[in-house]
């Protein structure tokens, strides 16, 4: 395939945008080459500026669960735009989507809309701190909760007591309030709580991890977190920015029947427009301004175009009783097909899937946390990524990303993908 026009556009972009991209994951830094510039997308396919077509497994990093340019969402945005694009005043639409979201997700009474997943998680933590009157939070290595300062903390051997900033610009003062734990290691969490008695406001977790590849929670892990939080007066925050309205109507709380105290959303909830949200029982949400002391605000929060898109998306998911089973069946089919050809080609790999999330790690050992996720062979991944791209299949340009299955994918698309994996993995 030729990527001439994309290369040209990237060179122009680099002059005026840092790294040529508005979010680092879009760059091809981990795999080499220049990013593909998209011209349009429809259903399961992306079309780039050079006229190439790709089967898309990124789907805007999750939102396009029903495929690109999904007609009910596009129509809702267009008709809403004609009525005015922003007012900074309440609209009936906000109550409509809030009521629908609250009816779909267990254990939440009220929801507030923001503009991104980052904002949702940042606000959820502030709310948890205000509600509990405690400062520290526990997060897990390899879990991503957006780019706000408190979350940009990575593992280090000394991390059992104090995290260390992994991005310049995050102050030591901020970092010391984020304690780092290992995913799927409940003992580790219990130790951190014991060492910081009465100081922890919240544990924030991706209840199915998706930002170090897809990693399901071990049996008992989420239950253990729930119990520890209940025992120690800590709020359990499920970051369902990726999993919400994707793994089930009610997200992971419904899938595994575990109750979180605060839930955050993004991605699917906006139907492809910039939307995030956080939600909890009324007692907690009523701590927010204007009725409570915790301040949180946004000029464009609840924006009518964004709400119209989100509402159309949630309605579609709510009204299609079989959609999540259909997505899981497509994912299982793809996983089984890839498993078969990689085995036949004697490649070391592990495939993890939950619902419509799937990741292929190029290492034979089980992937259960950040350390095991990091064992994947990046040289193989680079070959895999470029081979797939040239075959007309777009997966994320990083070995640490989950692939997102959309309902727009046909079984013929999945067969085409499996055949490409077969061909590409013969060249490893
Ligand atoms: C994408 C993501 C975020 C951040 O959302 P943005 O809209 O990119 O700010 C937070 N948490 C999780 C689990 C995510 O996958």
């Amino acid at each position: 395939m030729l990527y001439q026009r994309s290369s040209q556009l990237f060179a122009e972009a680099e002059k005026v945008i840092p790294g040529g991209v508005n979010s680092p994951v879009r760059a091809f830094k981990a795999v080499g080459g220049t990013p593909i510039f998209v011209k349009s997308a429809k259903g399961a396919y992306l079309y780039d500026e050079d006229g190439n077509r790709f089967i898309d497994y990124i789907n805007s990093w999750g939102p396009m669960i029903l495929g690109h340019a999904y007609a009910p969402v596009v129509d809702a945005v267009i008709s809403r735009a004609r009525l005015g694009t922003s007012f900074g005043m309440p609209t009936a639409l906000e109550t409509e989507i809030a009521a629908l979201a609250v009816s779909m997700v267990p254990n939440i009474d009220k929801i507030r809309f923001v503009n991104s997943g980052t904002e949702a998680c940042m606000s959820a933590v502030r709310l948890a701190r205000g509600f509990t009157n405690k400062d520290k939070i526990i997060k897990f290595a390899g879990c991503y909760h957006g780019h706000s300062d408190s979350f940009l903390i990575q593992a280090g051997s000394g991390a059992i007591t104090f995290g260390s900033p992994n991005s310049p610009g995050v102050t030591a003062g901020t970092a010391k309030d984020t304690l780092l734990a290992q995913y799927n290691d409940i003992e580790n969490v219990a130790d951190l709580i014991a060492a910081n008695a009465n100081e922890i406001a919240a544990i924030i977790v991706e209840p199915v991890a998706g930002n170090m590849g897809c990693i399901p929670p071990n049996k008992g892990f989420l239950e253990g977190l729930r119990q520890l939080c209940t025992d120690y007066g800590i709020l359990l925050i499920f970051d369902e920015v990726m999993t919400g309205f994707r793994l089930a109507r009610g997200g992971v709380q419904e899938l595994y029947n575990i109750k979180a105290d605060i839930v955050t959303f993004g991605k699917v909830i906006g139907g492809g427009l910039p939307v995030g949200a956080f939600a909890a029982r009324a007692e907690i949400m009523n701590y927010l301004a204007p009725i409570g002391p915790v301040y949180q605000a946004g000029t464009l929060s609840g924006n009518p175009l964004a709400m119209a898109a989100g509402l159309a998306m949630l309605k579609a998911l709510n009204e299609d009783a079989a959609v999540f089973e259909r997505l899981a069946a497509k994912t299982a089919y793809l996983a089984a097909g890839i498993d078969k050809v990689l085995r036949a080609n004697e490649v070391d790999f592990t495939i993890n899937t939950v619902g419509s999330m799937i990741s292929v790690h190029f290492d034979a050992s089980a992937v259960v946390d950040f350390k095991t996720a990091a064992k994947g062979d990046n040289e193989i991944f680079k070959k895999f990524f470029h081979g797939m791209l040239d075959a007309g299949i777009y997966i994320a340009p990083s070995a640490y990303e989950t692939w997102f299955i959309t309902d727009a994918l046909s079984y013929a698309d999945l067969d085409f993908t499996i055949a490409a994996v077969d061909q590409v993995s013969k060249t490893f």
Side-chain angles (χ1 to χ4, degrees), residues 183-184 209 211-218 348-354 359-377 399-400:
Y183 201 77
N184 275 328
N211 284 290
M212 45 182 164
C214 170
I215 301 184
N218 286 343
D348 285 338
F349 72 98
T350 304
I351 297 176
N352 282 353
T353 70
V354 178
S359 58
V360 181
H361 302 263
F362 291 106
D363 186 79
S365 50
V367 179
V368 297
D369 58 12
F370 187 63
K371 268 180 283 179
T372 44
K375 282 166 74 180
D377 187 329
Y400 294 103

Side-chain angles (χ1 to χ4, degrees), residues 22 124 213 244 351 383 405:
N22 280 312
I351 297 176
K383 274 192 195 171
I405 302 305

Side-chain angles (χ1 to χ4, degrees), residues 23 61 115-121 143-147 204-208 210-211 239-243 264-267 274-276 404:
S23 191
W61 307 86
N115 305 286
S116 69
T118 294
E119 233 189 291
C121 295
C143 280
Y144 181 66
H145 307 294
H147 67 91
I204 185 165
V205 65
E206 287 182 66
V208 167
N211 284 290
D239 178 352
E240 298 227 40
V241 169
M242 186 183 287
T243 54
T264 62
F265 300 102
K267 301 192 169 114
V275 179
F404 298 105

